[in-house]
Structure formats: structure tokens, C-alpha cells
Amino acid sequence: GAVVSQHPSWVICKSGTSVKIECRSLDFQATTMFWYRQFPKQSLMLMATSNEGSKATYEQGVEKDKFLINHASLTLSTLTVTSAHPEDSSFYICSARDASTQGGTKDEQFFGPGTRLTVL
Amino acid sequence: DAKTTQPNSMESNEEEPVHLPCNHSTISGTDYIHWYRQLPSQGPEYVIHGLTSNVNNRMASLAIAEDRKSSTLILHRATLRDAAVYYCILYYTDKLIFGTGTRLQVFP
């Protein structure tokens, strides 16, 4: 099956610093990637949709200036949490849609293993 | 967004079949029904999806009601590795919107 990787798998940072999380599709091209966050014991919450070569579309209530998303290639999207604070501590998960099946009956999303962010 | 309703939790014994229900009474004609599962501390994993007809794959079967207002994910023989949170999702405008899901416990 298609593989999506995330780096780092976990990160601890001080309050006020910025953290970048990478999401890569390893064996397929992804014109669309998604970023989610998940707090303990809760479901995944969609933060934004990232389209290659264009600006990300953010869900209501998600601060675009705080969560910077870049999707510069068909295999890489990055999420930067700027000026992180303890309330940003969460499990961040990306997913990617295979461009070759996007929009068809085989359309599915492949998820990365997640990045656990802890802000002290 | 189209919504789904699932029981918060279910239990099963190993080797037994498991039927995980999902209600989606507001489903539109073009919504696909997707199922994903999430093991602890991992990203979600695709299980199966369908539109109108029942579907089978190596992981599970998906039974869709004739009026499409409900569906059931069937694990034919539960194993300990199937313990996870199972999400039933209506594929809406290309976005997967996760509900609360069903936490499946499997006992040896």
C-alpha cells in the first residue's frame, strides 16, 4: 500500500519557538494533502487542506498565521507551528490523496504515523 | 457536513465476528461511505469504502442498507490486533471529517 511518512515522530520545544513538521508521500504523488490535530481521547480534527503549488485552505477556527502550511512539491507538505504554546501540544497527523486515483472510485487517503508535539 | 452516528464502544472476543454499525440518515446521493480505523498512537488506516453495493476486501466487509441511511462494517474473525477506534465517514467535498468513532475492544 501507499506510504506516508512524517518527521519528526515526536518533538519537545520551549514555548515561543516554532516547530516544522514534514509530511511525505513515499511511493506516490499527492496533489492534495491534509493536516489534522488530535487531542488525547478525542477524534481527529481537520485543520487544513494543502494543494500543491497553491495556498492552503484552512478550516473555520484554525489560525492560518499560526499554522503555516507549504506544499511545494507533489510529495512534500510541511506544517509549521509558529510561536508554539503549551495549548498547541497535540498529535499532528497528515494524510495524502494519491493523484492517480483522486476523484475516482479508488479515491482514498493515506495517513502518516503522526507527530507528537509537546510544548513546555 | 453530513454526519454519522456510531456507538461509543463495543466489545468482542477473539475469533468471533464483529458488526460495527453506523447511521448516516442525511447521506446524499454522491457521498461515499468510508471506514478507517486508528490503532493507539498511530495515524488512521483505511479499511474499506462503498457507495451502494456491499463490498468485501481482505480486511473486512461493508454492508450498506438499501436506503443508504446506515451501514455495517463486518470483521469476520476479530483478532487482538483489530482493537482500535473505527470511524465511519461520509466522503464530503473531498474532505474526511472524523466523528467520534467506535472503540472496539477484543478479548482473548
Side-chain angles (χ1 to χ4, degrees), chain A residues 38 43 59 97 105 109 111, chain B residues 36 38 44 49 91 95 99:
Chain A
Q38 185 176 34
S43 184
E59 294 299 303
R97 291 172 76 187
T105 57
Q109 289 187 26
F111 285 82
Chain B
Y36 284 76
Q38 186 178 24
H49 78 279
Y91 209 175
K95 298 187 291 188

Side-chain angles (χ1 to χ4, degrees), chain A:
Chain A
V3 178
V4 174
S5 70
Q6 283 185 240
H7 177 79
S9 55
W10 59 270
V11 56
I12 301 173
C13 70
K14 292 182 179 179
S15 185
T17 60
S18 295
V19 175
K20 180 185 283 188
I21 302 170
E22 293 185 348
C23 175
R24 294 182 184 272
S25 57
L26 298 185
D27 49 2
F28 66 98
Q29 294 184 327
T31 50
T32 306
M33 290 184 171
F34 303 87
W35 286 95
Y36 297 81
R37 66 189 296 182
Q38 185 176 34
F39 293 109
K41 306 292 186 185
Q42 294 187 22
S43 184
L44 284 79
M45 185 196 80
L46 179 64
M47 298 175 66
T49 301
S50 169
N51 292 300
E52 185 264 339
S54 63
K55 290 183 179 180
T57 303
Y58 291 81
E59 294 299 303
Q60 191 172 9
V62 178
E63 299 176 58
K64 61 179 182 180
D65 294 329
K66 181 167 183 64
F67 299 100
L68 302 179
I69 292 172
N70 184 278
H71 192 160
S73 78
L74 288 173
T75 59
L76 173 65
S77 176
T78 60
L79 168 68
T80 300
V81 183
T82 62
S83 187
H85 288 96
E87 57 266 31
D88 298 323
S89 299
S90 188
F91 194 47
Y92 291 86
I93 305 169
C94 74
S95 70
R97 291 172 76 187
D98 187 335
S100 66
T101 57
Q102 187 164 327
T105 57
K106 294 289 187 182
D107 194 355
E108 63 180 269
Q109 289 187 26
F110 303 95
F111 285 82
T115 296
R116 188 162 302 283
L117 169 63
T118 301
V119 184
L120 302 177

